[in-house]
Structure formats: structure tokens, C-alpha cells
Amino acid sequence: MTPASAVSRLSGQARRVEPFHVMRLLARAGELEALGVSIVHMEVGEPDFPTPGPILEAGRRALADGSIRYTSAGGLPALRRAIAAYYVDRYATPIGPERILIAPGASGALQLVFLALLEAGDRVLICDPSYPCYRQVLQLLGVEPIAVPVGPDTDYQLTAALAEAAWVPGVQAIVVASPSNPTGSSIAPDLLRELHAFCRERGAALVVDEIYQGLTYDVPDRTALSLGSCDLYVINSFSKYFGMTGWRLGWLAGPPDAVEVMERMAQNLFIAANTPAQHAALAAFEPATLEILETRRLEFQRRRDRLLPALRDLGFGIPVQPSGAFYLYARLPDSLEIDSMNFTGRMLEEAGVALTPGHDFGRHAAGRHVRFAYTREIEDLDEGVRRIGDWLARA
């Protein structure tokens, strides 16, 4: 009897995990570059700036000093205190370090929160479009994501009214992001307060993804923790604003009793977050680092203000000016009668411009949308716009 293949033994949840379409495009872009083709990268959401010098130096010191052993699963006490102090200093929001847990990236924090709050068969409301890992991780846990279509009328954010209209039995949590991926929109404080009150009324948890916190342009930099309540969960990261993507370090904030439970879970799932990365991150809140980060934030805003009107002039529909992150979520020009998957493929092969199709972020009008990441120098963005314009003129 022929033994079953390794693939046949995979679980149903594992088989249903969808790939990032952008990663396939990124791999193809690499192949083209290896052949000498010039590619303008506007697809991956990773800052092009290096990790700030003070953070690098703190990491080097940690390695030289031998600070490489396990920390507690909750993270370095000094780092938890530093994050708590950051909320006070920057957001005037007192939060005790016992409410903070350090995780291996925001992805690790998100998994801990989902595992702590949800059981197989539960349901969770998410935005459509939204970050693809929400639905993939939920499905791996046997939880059903309920995608709620959002558009420019609500600044691509989920509101209490939309949540009520989409409500079904079994919903145990609502997930929102501010600023968001892929739209760059931020949720207004009054709408967040209404959504929080709605969650309380329905007995559901509110999870707020703040991974792009700090990268805001037209609105004040805020945190959901300023609501002054212990009954919500905030996810954050050192990756985007602090420029530490490959260090894989994030954190979560939640009720103290829930954080204690999640620390026990982390002991079994991860042991602890990366130790040298935690020591390095202690320098993230130093004045010299924050000065560097502010300069970079202003540069991202300059890039947005350059790319946004240029794309609109080419016929892309961007009805809402994004107030944060480093993305533009654009509707394809009406003159194009092709799907965004086809469009991004042809743009890469025929124009040398790498973009992300809307299909990565959900189903709502996904075939008519693409995401532009302005994580490249303005000269590169200008070149990308020129190539897109030339291609559209030929199409």
C-alpha cells in the first residue's frame, strides 16, 4: 500500500490558507531584476529607511554584553515600562506596564489576542478591505471572519452602524485598524467611542490594530487606549514607525488579567520575543531616535502629497486622502476593463512597476483596486508614475 503523501496529511485549515498575491509578484520582480530589468517597487509595505542609528547601537551593545538569554515571556520589564511611559509622554494616556506584553512582532501579538478571546466556531467582524492576515489567522483557528464592506463614505472604517447591520449570532470580537492597511485611513475618535460602546452592549471584544501609529499626517496621532478603558485590546509594533521590520518585535496592551493569561500562552508558543531586539528597542523612545523618526514621517507625508495627485491625474480613483500609514488604495481608471490581478501582472511585465492587487485585502471591489506603497524615494515614485502613464497611453 502506498503511504499517503505529506500533503495529504495537512489539516483542512492549513490547506485553506491563501498566499499573499503580492509575494508572487515580488518573486517575479526579483527574477526580472536578475535578468537586468529595472523595477520600480511600490508593492511591499516596508519602510525603505534603515533602522535608526541609536537602536542599532543599542542592539550592538546587547550582543557585546551577552544580553542574549531568554527574557520572561511577557518581555523585558524595562521595555514594558518604557512603552508605558511612551503612552504617557506622547498620548497623555496612563497605562501600567502590567497591561503590556512584548511579542515576536505584531503578528505574534495578534495571534495571542485571537487565541485568548476566541474559540473554534466563533465569528469576528473585520473590514473589507483590510490586512489579509486577519482572516487567514482567524480561519486557522477555526473562527469565521465576517467581512464587512467599507468604502469612502466611512473613510474605509467600520462604524457602529455598519457593525450592527452586519451582526450575526456568534460574533465575539470586532477588529479595526487605525491607520489602516491598505487604505491609510484613520478612525475618528467619536466613531471609535461609538464602536467601543456597541461592543460593550453586545458583549464583544474590540481589537484595535495600531501598527502604523505615529505615521499620521492630517490628524493628531492617537491611541485607542485614550478611551480610558481596560476592556479593549491594542496591537502595536516596532516595525513600521520605528523602522525595525526584520527585528520582529511588537507588543499588545489589554486588561491585566488577560495579559497574564496571554503571557502563559506565550511561554508555550514562543518562549519569549527576540532578546537582542528587545534591548535594542529600549532606544526607540530616546529623544535622538524620535527626532529621526519625525524627519522620516515628514518625508512619508511629502511622498504621499507627491504621489496622490499624480495618480489622480492618470485617472486613478482615490476619493479619500489617506491620513496615515504609507499606502494609497486606488480604483483603476474607468477606461481600463481589466481585473486588478491582470493589471498588476501586466504592469510588472510590461512597465516594470510592482503593485499590489486589491485581491490581497478582501473581496469588496477588489478587482477594481490596487495598492500603491510610497516606501521609495520620490525620484522612484516619479519614475513609477511616468511608466504607468506611458503604459496607460498605449493600453
Side-chain angles (χ1 to χ4, degrees), residues 183-216:
T183 65
S185 69
S186 302
I187 188 167
D190 57 336
L191 296 181
L192 181 62
R193 194 172 295 108
E194 291 175 4
L195 190 60
H196 183 221
F198 175 79
C199 287
R200 280 181 160 179
E201 175 188 322
R202 296 299 178 102
L206 177 61
V207 180
V208 184
D209 181 349
E210 294 185 345
I211 189 174
Y212 294 97
Q213 185 185 61
L215 291 172
T216 55

Side-chain angles (χ1 to χ4, degrees), residues 214-238:
L215 291 172
T216 55
Y217 312 117
D218 305 311
V219 298
D221 187 24
R222 301 186 178 98
T223 175
L225 296 172
S226 64
L227 291 175
S229 174
C230 285
D231 65 342
L232 53 78
Y233 298 81
V234 166
I235 307 295
N236 213 319
S237 173
F238 288 95

Side-chain angles (χ1 to χ4, degrees), residues 241-323:
Y241 178 65
F242 296 101
M244 296 179 66
T245 51
W247 298 75
R248 306 313 305 133
L249 196 67
W251 76 86
L252 63 87
D257 57 340
V259 170
E260 192 276 329
V261 170
M262 286 186 280
E263 183 169 356
R264 299 202 308 265
M265 294 164 57
Q267 292 169 356
N268 290 277
L269 291 171
F270 315 123
I271 304 298
N274 181 295
T275 298
Q278 292 189 63
H279 285 281
L282 287 169
F285 308 109
E286 294 177 356
T289 306
L290 295 175
E291 184 177 344
I292 293 170
L293 299 177
E294 174 60 14
T295 300
R296 294 178 177 183
R297 184 191 70 82
L298 292 173
E299 176 59 20
F300 278 127
Q301 182 173 359
R302 193 167 77 96
R303 295 175 182 181
R304 181 204 64 175
D305 293 345
R306 180 69 158 257
L307 185 59
L308 176 60
L311 291 177
R312 283 175 170 168
D313 287 345
L314 291 179
F316 288 90
I318 310 173
V320 176
Q321 176 168 284
S323 58

Side-chain angles (χ1 to χ4, degrees), residues 69-285:
R69 300 187 180 277
Y70 294 136
T71 68
S72 67
L76 279 175
L79 185 55
R80 297 170 81 175
R81 292 194 298 270
I83 293 171
Y86 182 67
Y87 279 116
V88 173
D89 295 342
R90 183 159 182 144
Y91 303 103
T93 300
I95 174 174
E98 72 281 357
R99 290 184 57 193
I100 294 167
L101 186 146
I102 311 300
S107 298
L110 191 71
Q111 291 171 49
L112 286 172
V113 169
F114 284 168
L115 282 166
L117 295 176
L118 305 166
E119 297 181 0
D122 286 344
R123 291 168 162 170
V124 173
L125 297 185
I126 63 172
C127 294
D128 186 352
S130 65
Y131 180 51
C133 286
Y134 300 152
R135 65 179 186 273
Q136 301 299 341
V137 173
L138 289 170
Q139 288 172 165
L140 273 172
L141 299 177
V143 175
E144 181 184 0
I146 305 294
V148 183
V150 293
D153 56 325
T154 64
D155 207 9
Y156 296 99
Q157 290 287 347
L158 187 61
T159 65
L162 287 174
E164 184 170 20
W167 193 265
V168 291
V171 170
Q172 298 297 327
I174 292 176
V175 179
V176 294
S178 182
S180 69
N181 176 11
T183 65
S185 69
S186 302
I187 188 167
D190 57 336
L191 296 181
L192 181 62
R193 194 172 295 108
E194 291 175 4
L195 190 60
H196 183 221
F198 175 79
C199 287
R200 280 181 160 179
E201 175 188 322
R202 296 299 178 102
L206 177 61
V207 180
V208 184
D209 181 349
E210 294 185 345
I211 189 174
Y212 294 97
Q213 185 185 61
L215 291 172
T216 55
Y217 312 117
D218 305 311
V219 298
D221 187 24
R222 301 186 178 98
T223 175
L225 296 172
S226 64
L227 291 175
S229 174
C230 285
D231 65 342
L232 53 78
Y233 298 81
V234 166
I235 307 295
N236 213 319
S237 173
F238 288 95
S239 289
K240 308 299 185 179
Y241 178 65
F242 296 101
M244 296 179 66
T245 51
W247 298 75
R248 306 313 305 133
L249 196 67
W251 76 86
L252 63 87
D257 57 340
V259 170
E260 192 276 329
V261 170
M262 286 186 280
E263 183 169 356
R264 299 202 308 265
M265 294 164 57
Q267 292 169 356
N268 290 277
L269 291 171
F270 315 123
I271 304 298
N274 181 295
T275 298
Q278 292 189 63
H279 285 281
L282 287 169
F285 308 109

